[in-house]
Amino acid sequence: MNPYDKARELAQSIQSSEVARRLKDTKERIEQDSSTLAVLQEYRYREWELQTKLVDGQELTEAERESIDKLRNMVQSNPDIAVYLEAERQLTVMLMDIQDILSQTMDEFVFSHPGETDTAELD
């Protein structure tokens, strides 16, 4: 059994999954509607911008909160964007779960990294 062949098989399985098909179909519909695409892109940009502020330890202003809430309502009221974002979330969860499964394989063969080791084990 070749692990690389299995990885390609897994990739193909993911690509043909219901969630991936839904994501691709919705993405194609959104690409055909410039106003829907613009709303999604603006939402993504504003979300990234606000997350960056929060990571930098800055607080959001009331105007920023209202702006993202208004944009979030627009996104949630658009069926294509709502379906797209949900499918994207589901695909991300699937890939993270798969990564966790693969990472567990490493636990059997390698030492833990600094910060992962329980200090009680070192005593």
Side-chain angles (χ1 to χ4, degrees):
M1 172 173 53
N2 183 331
Y4 292 98
D5 291 339
K6 289 294 181 184
R8 286 191 223 17
E9 185 180 322
L10 175 59
Q12 187 175 27
S13 176
I14 292 168
Q15 290 169 347
S16 64
S17 71
E18 172 59 32
V19 69
R21 282 194 309 273
R22 191 170 54 248
L23 185 61
K24 183 179 181 208
D25 291 346
T26 310
K27 179 180 182 263
E28 289 171 358
R29 277 197 310 277
I30 290 171
E31 289 173 332
Q32 299 302 314
D33 182 348
S34 60
S35 62
T36 298
L37 181 59
V39 169
L40 177 59
Q41 289 173 329
E42 175 67 15
Y43 175 73
R44 286 287 172 88
Y45 176 76
R46 295 289 296 143
E47 190 177 49
W48 171 82
E49 188 177 59
L50 296 178
Q51 287 294 335
T52 301
K53 274 187 92 167
L54 292 173
V55 167
D56 288 344
Q58 300 175 29
E59 298 220 11
L60 303 182
T61 66
E62 188 60 35
E64 289 171 326
R65 288 180 197 278
E66 289 174 10
S67 171
I68 195 67
D69 285 344
K70 181 179 176 183
L71 200 49
R72 188 174 292 125
N73 288 336
M74 286 177 60
V75 164
Q76 291 171 345
S77 68
N78 182 305
D80 282 337
I81 296 176
V83 167
Y84 176 83
L85 291 174
E86 178 58 21
E88 184 181 62
R89 185 195 67 75
Q90 290 173 349
L91 184 62
T92 299
V93 167
M94 179 193 307
L95 294 174
M96 289 172 48
D97 289 346
I98 291 168
Q99 179 62 40
D100 286 345
I101 292 166
L102 295 173
S103 293
Q104 289 172 9
T105 303
M106 293 290 294
D107 293 344
E108 185 177 334
F109 302 109
V110 298
F111 292 106
S112 59
H113 293 222
E116 293 178 359
T117 304
D118 184 1
T119 55
E121 293 177 11
L122 298 177
D123 294 336

